[in-house]
Amino acid sequence: MTSPEHLTSPEHLALHMGLDIPDFDPTGYYGADYGTMKPFHRVGSLLFLSGHVAQIGTEITHKGRLGASLTTDQGYAAARRTGLNVLGGIRQAVGSLDRVKSIVRTLNFVVCTPEYEEVHHVSSGLSDLFVEVFGRERGLGGRATIGVQALAGGVCFETWATVEVAE
């Protein structure tokens, strides 16, 4: 018999969904390869995550430009892969997804052509994953998405996230 708290536990849901969330404790946050930074900073109940991208280990999973070499569906998949890395970043910072009270906001960057106007659809790959794992009340935060010319390593999507966590 499943207890009611397991039905709303993000850790349990992530396990049940079979999500491939990285463990940055033994492998280290890959973003350190991009320059001098730390993976997160916490101020009280707010957790600020550095940039996360669509990467597995040292391999970038989605390179290119939306509207040229990548479709909106491929961008959505990149944003979802990025979301898995954000979940790994949250675990690294506070130990468990169950400590998340809410996704406060994300700032998303999409590498695209000047004519490409579906950057908001790309970011939904990230937002949809957070809603699946945390539920709508905790997982749906504010969001802004900006089309840009280039990101480090040729990635097509990057996010910064602010998360409210239990103290």
Side-chain angles (χ1 to χ4, degrees):
M1 180 174 185
T2 304
S3 64
E5 55 273 1
H6 278 151
L7 297 176
T8 58
S9 163
E11 284 291 342
H12 178 65
L13 285 171
L15 181 65
H16 180 73
M17 293 168 61
L19 297 179
D20 179 25
I21 301 172
D23 185 353
F24 291 134
D25 285 335
T27 62
Y29 165 65
Y30 57 74
D33 293 338
Y34 293 110
T36 307
M37 71 177 91
K38 60 184 179 177
F40 61 86
H41 185 80
R42 187 165 169 189
V43 178
S45 64
L46 290 180
L47 174 65
F48 299 88
L49 294 172
S50 288
H52 283 72
V53 300
Q55 190 166 331
I56 298 174
T58 59
E59 179 186 347
I60 296 168
T61 60
H62 296 81
K63 285 187 176 189
R65 183 174 306 280
L66 278 291
S69 60
L70 295 173
T71 66
T72 299
D73 287 344
Q74 290 169 316
Y76 181 97
R80 187 173 177 91
R81 174 72 243 174
T82 300
L84 293 170
N85 290 336
V86 170
L87 297 177
I90 292 169
R91 275 187 182 159
Q92 180 186 30
V94 299
S96 172
L97 300 178
D98 292 342
R99 298 201 48 214
V100 171
K101 292 175 82 174
S102 69
I103 301 296
V104 176
R105 63 109 179 130
T106 61
L107 177 57
N108 306 299
F109 304 92
V110 177
V111 176
C112 60
T113 63
E115 306 79 33
Y116 186 77
E117 296 181 354
E118 297 188 353
V119 293
H120 57 297
H121 293 300
V122 171
S123 289
S124 289
L126 177 79
S127 300
D128 290 348
L129 176 67
F130 291 163
V131 169
E132 290 170 26
V133 172
F134 297 111
R136 191 165 184 80
E137 183 67 27
R138 288 191 285 177
L140 188 59
R143 180 180 93 184
T145 304
I146 301 166
V148 298
Q149 287 297 308
L151 291 168
V155 301
C156 71
F157 183 86
E158 180 172 347
T159 190
W160 300 350
T162 305
V163 182
E164 181 185 14
V165 296
E167 292 195 53

